[in-house]
Amino acid sequence: MKNWLRMLAGVILLLLIPAQGRAHPHVWADIKVQVIFDDKGLLTGLHETWLFDDFYSAFVIGGGATQEQLESVLAENMKNLEEYDYFTRIMSGETRITGAKPEQASSRITGNRLEMSFLLQLPAPLSVSDLPMRYAVYDPAYYIEMLHTKAPDAVTLVNAPKECTSKLEQPKPDMEQVVLAASLDKTQKASDGLGLFFAEAVTVKCG
């Protein structure tokens, strides 16, 4: 368990708040990201896969779902995510990249868990030779906790030049953010900045 999760658990016990009824987050998702390059060595997009927890999946799909129903849920999710840049913050150096659009969205059941994936296409190919690209996938309100899976392919570089590397950094929220997360129940909405403090960040650079 990460340090900040131990801190959060301690705060919940201290405040005598039942863990199931209170405290953000309420939904969990394991994510994988493929960082896509073109034949010129430019970064063109992020292919993201989100695998939701058992309880949320059961709530959404019930005892089962047809592919038509899954596609309906997917369409609604993608529509709602547009306002929040698809829960993805992309930086080139100190400049935020906006206007990325989803393509190839799909959804399925993996085991008993709901999975959705999409290619987030950048508005223009991006060079990461001079400035690194840094991304974070997170729910701004921290209702959903989104962390990279522990699998070796959690972050992969596709068609990247040989000198390109990626580095995943763990979040380091301070006690103030942990206490705030612990104080919120399901009926309360955190400020849109809370999730960033609990977000993993991945830096990709070439050369």
Side-chain angles (χ1 to χ4, degrees):
M1 182 181 289
K2 297 180 176 67
N3 290 337
W4 66 265
L5 282 175
R6 288 197 292 267
M7 292 166 60
L8 179 57
V11 170
I12 293 172
L13 289 174
L14 179 64
L15 298 178
L16 300 179
I17 300 174
Q20 294 297 324
R22 298 179 64 86
H24 279 37
H26 299 290
V27 178
W28 290 262
D30 296 324
I31 66 173
K32 293 182 180 181
V33 177
Q34 293 179 321
V35 182
I36 311 298
F37 289 78
D38 65 15
D39 292 338
K40 296 179 180 179
L42 300 177
L43 196 156
T44 60
L46 304 176
H47 187 276
E48 304 182 19
T49 300
W50 304 357
L51 183 63
F52 293 96
D53 67 81
D54 292 350
F55 293 106
Y56 175 76
S57 299
F59 173 77
V60 172
I61 63 177
T66 65
Q67 189 59 41
E68 182 179 0
Q69 290 170 326
L70 289 177
E71 290 174 1
S72 176
V73 171
L74 174 66
E76 185 66 23
N77 283 341
M78 299 306 293
K79 178 181 177 181
N80 293 336
L81 286 167
E82 182 178 6
E83 179 181 354
Y84 304 99
D85 294 323
Y86 304 96
F87 283 2
T88 305
R89 181 185 178 95
I90 303 172
M91 304 291 295
S92 175
E94 299 300 318
T95 301
R96 184 167 184 178
I97 304 298
T98 59
K101 299 297 183 182
E103 299 179 0
Q104 304 172 21
S106 64
S107 186
R108 64 176 182 171
I109 303 300
T110 300
N112 58 347
R113 299 171 65 181
L114 176 65
E115 178 183 291
M116 59 179 285
S117 64
F118 55 91
L119 171 63
L120 198 58
Q121 195 77 34
L122 300 187
L126 181 66
S127 172
V128 289
S129 296
D130 298 323
L131 295 174
M133 185 278 289
R134 185 180 176 90
Y135 78 79
V137 180
Y138 66 97
D139 174 4
Y142 197 45
Y143 194 88
I144 306 172
E145 179 183 74
M146 310 181 74
L147 299 175
H148 290 79
T149 180
K150 299 302 181 183
D153 60 346
V155 181
T156 54
L157 307 184
V158 179
N159 201 37
K162 293 181 179 179
E163 66 271 18
C164 297
T165 60
S166 65
K167 180 181 180 181
L168 188 152
E169 300 175 16
Q170 297 299 328
K172 297 179 181 178
D174 62 28
M175 182 57 74
E176 181 179 354
Q177 284 106 38
V178 173
V179 170
L180 177 58
S183 70
L184 299 169
D185 65 24
K186 290 184 178 181
T187 64
Q188 294 176 296
K189 180 179 178 181
S191 66
D192 282 346
L194 181 61
L196 183 59
F197 295 106
F198 296 86
E200 294 178 326
V202 173
T203 300
V204 177
K205 60 181 180 180
C206 299

